[in-house]
Amino acid sequence: MVRQLFRNAKIYSPVDNGRALKGSEQGQLVHYPCGAMLVEDGVIQVTGDEGVVLSGCAGDIQETDCEGRCLIPGFVDPHTHMCFAKLREREFEMRIDGTPYLEILRKGGGILSSVTAVAAASEEDLAVNTLKHAMSALALGTTTLEIKSGYGLDVENELKMLRAIQRMAEESPQDVVSTFLGAHAVPVEFKGRADDYISLIIDEMLPQVWREGLARYCDIFCEEGVFTIEQGRRLFSAAKKIGMEVKIHADEVHDLGGAALAAEMRACSADHLLAASEINIKKMAESDVVANLLPATAYSLRKSYANARLMIENNVPVALATDCNPGSSFTESMQFIIGLAVLNMQMTPAEALVASTLNSAYAIGMADQVGSLDKGKQADFLLLEGETPAILAYHAGVSSVVSVFKKGQLISGGVGV
Ligand code: NIG
Ligand code: FE
């Protein structure tokens, strides 16, 4: 058995009480000014004041002096589209020149241009490209992440994407949760026949994805010109029937009622929510749906941010994610997301940290293993520059992550750097 002691750290972590933190709990962190953590075979045994932890530490032990740095849980990024084949810089320039995101999609670009690129790529190419972005996220502190399919849009290519994600996950030290997003856009061959495409997903894609264990969640993009709420309800009913959990791209540009559908179908999370109404946010609270907010998307599309304060006031647990994708939000950095959440969504640094660790772990069903420094969880943690985790919002445009540990192993950076 390998026993490790990480000592002389300023520890900050949410405490896991068995569900995502909401309301006033959203900003609650436990803090040990001179803390330590005892780890056995990559699993946390105790986190607490150094004196208390040391008193229970006899025998053979590898000791690491954290040199007084802040120690926080590794970031959990619960919404990415990192599996893609090509960037879309030209479209970015079009958006900067004023063409709206949904208009680019209507004209066959956007998500559909990523579909063309994925169709031309091999499973191996996709795995390599996905791993590249995941490694960039890892160096920036993301120790667990979700990755969606959704640039395949036919049986062969959706499965290819999910297998590529599975393949890259074997190469990465991160925990990777995959989500089936066959309903990301209406493919060109189904133009004007979105219902038929949903039938194809339900009859052919879903059963195969589920049988091969290729995805934990089923997701859909409900938006004007994409899929309707009724189509979402149909897809979710089919997914739940075979035992698959659901999540939704909801109310990103228009308030279609995606948040209400998430509540009705007891989705694990509703994501985006830039345009969600207060009444539907209240419905999410009643059903314990996590609001998975993606501020870099609002930033990149130059839209108003989701109303995080309203969600917190209404007892909706808030999580944060990068939405890393080649279109609406191209970043792997959870620190950038925390900065946007604090400075543009009026979240406190503590709320944003909870949203990026424990609540984001709940948003992808991983809280039993990661997201806080509680006994029994994986020793996934970061050492930071600075006196408090507020550095993550305060120091803009750089990484404040000095070291990244996964299951107790130093993966990136170094102690004493
Ligand atoms: O979450 N909104 C839909 N899907 C992604 C964007 C995907 C893309 O533009 O390639 C999102 O923002
Ligand atoms: Fe997305």
Side-chain angles (χ1 to χ4, degrees), residues 16-27:
D16 190 350
N17 295 319
R19 55 171 174 73
L21 300 182
K22 56 189 178 179
S24 59
E25 303 162 351
Q26 173 90 44

Side-chain angles (χ1 to χ4, degrees), residues 79-81 84 88 91 95 101-102 105 110-114 148 150-151 181 184 219 221 223 226 249 252-253 271-272 294 297 301 323-329:
H79 182 138
T80 86
H81 306 253
F84 59 87
R88 306 198 318 244
E91 285 178 9
R95 284 201 288 109
Y101 176 70
L102 287 178
L105 177 61
I111 294 169
L112 294 173
S113 56
S114 287
K148 300 174 195 293
Y151 297 127
L181 179 58
H184 196 191
D219 196 344
F221 182 22
E223 183 53 70
V226 192
H249 282 67
E252 176 177 352
V253 184
D271 302 34
H272 285 292
L294 319 172
T297 312
L301 299 183
D323 195 19
C324 181
N325 75 73
S328 62
S329 166

Side-chain angles (χ1 to χ4, degrees), residues 196-375:
D196 292 344
Y197 180 57
I198 294 287
S199 299
L200 176 77
I201 296 178
I202 292 174
D203 297 338
E204 292 190 34
M205 297 189 201
L206 256 187
Q208 209 164 328
V209 167
W210 191 240
R211 216 173 25 246
E212 286 188 38
L214 287 170
R216 181 181 294 192
Y217 294 100
C218 177
D219 196 344
I220 185 168
F221 182 22
C222 286
E223 183 53 70
E224 270 182 21
V226 192
F227 295 105
T228 63
I229 294 297
E230 192 39 49
Q231 286 158 348
R233 187 177 286 114
R234 230 182 107 210
L235 176 63
F236 284 175
S237 304
K240 293 186 84 157
K241 210 157 153 196
I242 58 172
M244 206 161 175
E245 284 190 76
V246 300
K247 42 176 64 228
I248 176 171
H249 282 67
D251 308 327
E252 176 177 352
V253 184
H254 301 97
D255 178 18
L256 293 197
L261 180 68
E264 176 193 325
M265 302 302 288
R266 302 210 162 257
C268 179
S269 71
D271 302 34
H272 285 292
L273 302 170
L274 306 191
S277 68
E278 182 164 359
I279 184 154
N280 289 343
I281 287 168
K282 290 197 159 103
K283 289 184 189 160
M284 281 175 58
E286 283 160 23
S287 293
D288 273 332
V289 180
V290 176
N292 202 2
L293 305 185
L294 319 172
T297 312
Y299 169 82
S300 171
L301 299 183
R302 301 203 272 203
K303 296 205 173 293
S304 304
Y305 290 78
N307 195 340
R309 285 260 61 88
L310 185 70
M311 294 173 199
I312 294 170
E313 276 159 25
N314 279 287
N315 278 322
V316 176
V318 171
L320 288 165
T322 60
D323 195 19
C324 181
N325 75 73
S328 62
S329 166
F330 184 40
T331 178
E332 296 92 348
S333 169
M334 284 298 288
Q335 175 164 357
F336 176 53
I337 299 303
I338 290 172
L340 291 176
V342 170
L343 290 162
N344 291 340
M345 292 162 72
Q346 287 72 48
M347 290 177 76
T348 67
E351 287 171 340
L353 185 60
V354 169
S356 306
T357 54
L358 185 62
N359 282 7
S360 49
Y362 272 103
I364 52 171
M366 287 295 288
D368 55 332
Q369 296 169 56
V370 300
S372 66
L373 303 176
D374 291 294
K375 178 177 163 57

Side-chain angles (χ1 to χ4, degrees), residues 31-199:
H31 172 43
Y32 302 106
C34 185
M37 197 162 71
L38 176 64
V39 174
E40 280 179 14
D41 290 336
V43 176
I44 299 169
Q45 302 302 309
V46 202
T47 304
D49 283 320
E50 184 170 290
V52 176
V53 177
L54 282 176
S55 66
C57 275
D60 204 16
I61 203 152
Q62 296 169 11
E63 195 176 306
T64 302
D65 181 349
C66 298
E67 299 169 336
R69 291 199 186 277
C70 287
L71 187 160
I72 62 168
F75 297 134
V76 177
D77 185 349
H79 182 138
T80 86
H81 306 253
M82 248 179 219
C83 183
F84 59 87
K86 267 194 178 157
L87 293 173
R88 306 198 318 244
E89 296 93 328
R90 274 296 308 139
E91 285 178 9
F92 176 75
E93 288 173 24
M94 282 164 68
R95 284 201 288 109
I96 296 301
D97 289 343
T99 314
Y101 176 70
L102 287 178
E103 193 179 319
I104 296 175
L105 177 61
R106 244 188 326 270
K107 290 185 173 150
I111 294 169
L112 294 173
S113 56
S114 287
V115 170
T116 308
V118 161
S122 67
E123 183 184 311
E124 159 123 44
D125 292 342
L126 283 175
V128 168
N129 202 35
T130 310
L131 188 63
K132 186 177 94 185
H133 294 289
M135 289 306 95
S136 154
L138 181 65
L140 296 167
T142 298
T143 46
T144 296
L145 75 165
E146 185 253 23
I147 308 179
K148 300 174 195 293
S149 68
Y151 297 127
L153 308 190
D154 61 25
V155 179
E156 181 194 336
N157 286 295
E158 281 297 310
L159 292 174
K160 180 171 81 181
M161 284 191 76
L162 290 169
R163 289 183 188 127
I165 295 167
Q166 196 171 53
R167 202 154 150 171
M168 68 65 62
E170 284 161 16
E171 301 289 312
S172 165
Q174 291 149 315
D175 285 286
V176 178
V177 170
S178 47
T179 294
F180 169 57
L181 179 58
H184 196 191
V186 181
V188 180
E189 326 73 271
F190 281 85
K191 200 163 181 191
R193 295 190 299 125
D195 273 324
D196 292 344
Y197 180 57
I198 294 287
S199 299

